[in-house]
Amino acid sequence: PTPPYAGSVVIAPPVTFTTTSLPTWTADEGGYDQTIAAGGGSGALSFAMVPLPAGEGELPPGMTLGTGGVLSGTPTAAGTYGFTVSATDNLGDTASQNFTLVVNPLTYQVSIVGPSTVQAGKGVAVTVQATDMLGNPLANYSGPASVIASLSPVGAGSNLPSTVALNSSGFGVFL
C-alpha cells in the first residue's frame, strides 16, 4: 500500500509502582499478606524479584512474592531486608521498585508461676509460661533460654541466682 495509511495506534502508559513502602512485621508471626501494586502498561502485570548477587536483595526467610504481586508468609528471622521487585506487562515493558521490609524480633511476655515465699537456702521449682503480646500461650517457646526473676525483699534470697535456665517446656529450677 502507498501512504497515507489509515488506522490508530494505542500507546500504553508506562508501568509504574503505586506501592512504595511495606508495613513492618514481627518474626514468627504468620499472616503477612501485602499486595505490591503497580499500574499502567498493557494487560496484566507480572511481578518478580530482581536477581541480585547472593546475599543481596533477598526476601526474609519464610516469605514469598507471587507473580500477582502478593508478598506473603511468615518471616522467620528478624532484620532489615532490602530487595527490588519488577513489574512487567504483556508487551515486555518493565519497571522496578526498591523495597525495605523491617522484621522485628518476636517479643515474649514471660510469667513465672511458683510459690510466693521461698525459704532461704532451699531450691524452688517454678513454671515459666511464655505468651505473645496478645496473651496467647506459646506452645514452643523459642526465645532466650533464660528468664530473670526478681526476689523481694531484696537480700531475702541472696543465695538464689537471679536467672534460671529454661527447658523447651518452660520449666526451670532455682537452686
Side-chain angles (χ1 to χ4, degrees):
T2 57
Y5 301 106
S8 62
V9 175
V10 176
I11 299 175
V15 175
T16 56
F17 278 83
T18 54
T19 301
T20 57
S21 63
L22 298 171
T24 299
W25 205 249
T26 302
D28 296 321
E29 261 187 31
Y32 193 95
D33 188 13
Q34 177 69 33
T35 299
I36 296 175
S42 175
L45 298 175
S46 180
F47 295 81
M49 292 288 297
V50 174
L52 295 173
E56 296 180 26
E58 296 177 358
L59 291 174
M63 303 287 294
T64 59
L65 176 67
T67 58
V70 177
L71 179 61
S72 62
T74 302
T76 59
T80 300
Y81 298 88
F83 53 92
T84 303
V85 174
S86 67
T88 305
D89 71 6
N90 63 3
L91 297 176
D93 185 22
T94 300
S96 296
Q97 178 71 39
N98 295 325
F99 291 97
T100 300
L101 177 57
V102 176
V103 179
N104 293 317
L106 181 60
T107 303
Y108 297 99
Q109 293 179 345
V110 180
S111 58
I112 300 173
V113 180
S116 59
T117 58
V118 180
Q119 183 178 357
K122 299 290 183 179
V124 60
V126 296
T127 301
V128 177
Q129 175 62 61
T131 60
D132 65 17
M133 294 310 289
L134 300 176
N136 301 311
L138 300 173
N140 295 315
Y141 176 77
S142 62
S146 65
V147 62
I148 297 174
S150 60
L151 300 172
S152 179
V154 175
S158 61
N159 61 334
L160 295 176
S162 62
T163 62
V164 60
L166 303 177
N167 65 21
S168 61
S169 300
F171 181 76
V173 178
F174 284 101
L175 293 175

